[in-house]
Amino acid sequence: MQNTLLKIAIIASGFKGYELAHTLQWHPTKVSQIVIGAHHPTNGEKQQIADALGKSVTELFSKREVASWLSQRNWFPLQKVTKLRNCQMAR
């Protein structure tokens, strides 16, 4: 899933993705991989991007986008943990 918020922030900053990557001392394609959803950044990487763009992490990586990413992959760890606990408690 594409991170539209991040893409807009990069364009608004005047940076090209590879220029932002150079500023962060990353591989030239890393930022574009994050934008298109092929690379999932760590919290530290998110903070580095936010700092370089003068934004907060929440402005660039919203809960809605995270929730959408999880739902597209049918990955709901909290529900799985709850089901597992309920099964164990029933024994």
Side-chain angles (χ1 to χ4, degrees):
M1 180 187 144
Q2 183 170 347
N3 185 333
T4 308
L5 297 174
L6 178 56
K7 185 171 184 169
I8 291 169
I10 292 169
I11 293 168
S13 73
F15 275 118
K16 302 279 189 206
Y18 67 88
E19 293 170 334
L20 178 59
H22 179 75
T23 300
L24 297 170
Q25 299 179 351
W26 291 353
H27 188 276
T29 62
K30 187 170 185 175
V31 172
S32 66
Q33 295 295 304
I34 292 170
V35 170
I36 66 170
H39 174 76
H40 303 288
T42 65
N43 289 337
E45 290 170 336
K46 289 178 183 180
Q47 189 62 57
Q48 286 179 298
I49 294 170
D51 291 345
L53 296 175
K55 303 277 186 182
S56 70
V57 171
T58 54
E59 288 177 284
L60 302 175
F61 301 94
S62 72
K63 290 180 182 179
R64 177 179 49 82
E65 290 198 54
V66 171
S68 176
W69 180 84
L70 293 174
S71 67
Q72 286 180 349
R73 287 155 182 80
N74 294 321
W75 191 64
F76 300 97
L78 184 58
Q79 291 176 354
K80 289 180 181 179
V81 168
T82 303
K83 288 179 183 177
L84 179 61
R85 285 183 184 156
N86 289 342
C87 289
Q88 289 175 345
M89 292 171 76
R91 291 183 183 175

